[in-house]
Amino acid sequence: MNEQDSESLDSLRESSVFELAVKTAESKAEVLEMIREHDLSEEAFSNRFPVLAKVAQGLPDVPDETAPPA
């Protein structure tokens, strides 16, 4: 395995972790914090990850604090 292969594997891992984090987020605010941590603008996030952007759109603005923990 050469160095390039290693870099793309790391990128795939990072991308997978990011996708899982967005899919398990409890609020839009949580997703916004994640995309900022990855130095993405909201527009770049929507363009680059349109499916995840739709998932984020369906989230509440803030987490529901009255819901029992899972």
Side-chain angles (χ1 to χ4, degrees):
M1 180 186 312
N2 66 32
E3 192 174 329
Q4 250 182 351
D5 291 339
S6 177
E7 287 176 17
S8 69
L9 180 60
D10 289 341
S11 177
L12 179 59
R13 283 184 188 159
E14 186 174 326
S15 179
S16 295
V17 169
F18 180 70
E19 180 178 349
L20 181 61
V22 171
K23 287 182 175 179
T24 59
E26 296 181 8
S27 69
K28 289 177 187 174
E30 192 175 330
V31 173
L32 185 57
E33 183 177 322
M34 281 184 258
I35 65 175
R36 288 183 178 157
E37 286 175 0
H38 285 83
D39 293 326
L40 290 171
S41 67
E42 291 180 57
E43 183 178 355
F45 172 69
S46 295
N47 291 335
R48 194 166 164 195
F49 304 99
V51 173
L52 292 179
K54 286 186 180 189
V55 169
Q57 285 269 315
L59 294 172
D61 291 331
V62 293
D64 184 6
E65 294 178 13
T66 61

